[in-house]
Amino acid sequence: QVQLVESGGGLVQAGGSLRLSCAASGSISSINVMGWYRQTLGKQRELVATISSSGITNYADSVKGRFTISRDNAKSELYLQMNSLKPEDTAVYYCIVQLRPSFRNVWGQGTQVTVSS
């Protein structure tokens, strides 16, 4: 079984920065796409950013220019550098990893990010 553990969340004032990490462990052969989603109470999870195995990135319009997604393929780790944080960024952030060759998606438990005004 593959397990994802997120870390780096916390409380920060508007304009501050946080760096989220996601570590994958267990029976891993290969990983395809990796990404971050976020969810607030009463709402569906929304895409924040994705990164392909070759390093191609995509971002939600709301975070472009402020967030940077990256990955370390050798360590099976995923990162999200969040700068210029806004109160509307407050959410639980979830890591997702798509495995190869099954293309099965694995989700982390989430880490809370709270941005105060």
Side-chain angles (χ1 to χ4, degrees):
Q1 180 176 326
V2 176
Q3 181 178 349
L4 305 181
V5 179
E6 298 112 329
S7 62
L11 175 64
V12 65
Q13 290 188 330
S17 298
L18 286 173
R19 186 173 188 260
L20 305 183
S21 298
C22 173
S25 62
S27 182
I28 301 173
S29 178
S30 183
I31 296 175
N32 190 27
V33 67
M34 306 177 77
W36 291 95
Y37 285 73
R38 65 186 182 186
Q39 185 176 32
T40 57
L41 286 175
K43 297 182 180 180
Q44 197 169 0
R45 289 182 185 180
E46 64 174 355
L47 173 69
V48 177
T50 61
I51 182 168
S52 72
S53 59
S54 62
I56 300 173
T57 59
N58 287 282
Y59 297 92
D61 289 340
S62 59
V63 306
K64 286 181 179 178
R66 300 188 298 119
F67 291 10
T68 302
I69 188 171
S70 61
R71 62 190 285 173
D72 187 327
N73 291 328
K75 297 180 179 179
S76 297
E77 293 185 345
L78 177 70
Y79 311 98
L80 185 68
Q81 179 66 47
M82 304 185 294
N83 298 326
S84 301
L85 284 164
K86 304 175 181 179
E88 50 263 44
D89 294 318
T90 296
V92 178
Y93 284 71
Y94 296 89
C95 172
I96 184 170
V97 171
Q98 186 179 70
L99 304 178
R100 288 178 176 170
S102 66
F103 293 97
R104 180 170 67 90
N105 292 330
V106 180
W107 292 84
Q109 294 297 311
T111 184
Q112 176 70 48
V113 172
T114 303
V115 184
S116 62
S117 60

